[in-house]
Amino acid sequence: MANLNPDLLEALRRAATDAANDGIKFYVNSGWRSPAYQNQLLREAVAKYGSEKEAARWVATAATSLHVKGEAVDIGHPDAAVWLSKNGAEYGLCQIYRNEPWHYELRPEAVDHGCPRMYADPTQDPRMRN
């Protein structure tokens, strides 16, 4: 959990504690990533999907990745992601992309107003444009 935004980490800890009370165990599959690792993931996605355009639906560049900035986590185990999709706004934790039910970011305003509308995938997110 090194290099994560402290507010994100605190929200995750609170959510994980409450999820555990419901019998759900959280696993953070991916938190902060180095730029080099993010670039490696992008190269692998290009090889897998056949183009940079298609890979961009799944993997951001190091310059735009919220993981590189310490502002995003990927939650493991489907039951944990389901729990967080139902309860995350209470902690300010929101799923951002419809195609990535594991990807969560801190949106403190969600506590009072609910999570923002999801993007279909990262290519629709204006933050992902260089």
Side-chain angles (χ1 to χ4, degrees):
M1 303 300 254
N3 298 322
L4 280 184
N5 172 306
D7 294 331
L8 172 59
L9 185 55
E10 176 59 28
L12 283 167
R13 285 183 174 144
R14 287 188 296 110
T17 298
D18 290 349
N21 292 334
D22 290 340
I24 304 295
K25 186 164 181 173
F26 270 34
Y27 295 90
V28 175
N29 286 342
S30 186
W32 177 81
R33 299 175 188 156
S34 70
Y37 182 58
Q38 187 68 32
N39 285 333
Q40 175 187 333
L41 291 175
L42 183 57
R43 285 190 305 273
E44 290 170 0
V46 170
K48 178 177 181 176
Y49 297 109
S51 72
E52 287 183 15
K53 182 178 180 181
E54 188 61 23
R57 294 184 62 233
W58 303 99
V59 181
T61 66
T64 60
S65 172
L66 278 292
H67 285 279
V68 171
K69 295 174 184 171
E71 296 176 4
V73 293
D74 292 346
I75 299 296
H77 289 271
D79 58 339
V82 168
W83 189 94
L84 202 51
S85 73
K86 291 178 184 173
N87 301 290
E90 181 180 333
Y91 308 91
L93 297 169
C94 296
Q95 180 185 344
I96 303 301
Y97 308 118
R98 266 194 246 80
N99 73 326
E100 294 186 2
W102 54 83
H103 179 95
Y104 282 82
E105 298 176 16
L106 182 64
R107 298 292 173 91
E109 66 279 3
V111 172
D112 294 324
H113 305 289
C115 289
R117 197 169 134 229
M118 283 186 261
Y119 297 107
D121 62 52
T123 64
Q124 305 300 308
D125 186 342
R127 300 173 302 167
M128 296 300 117
R129 297 186 181 107
N130 289 340

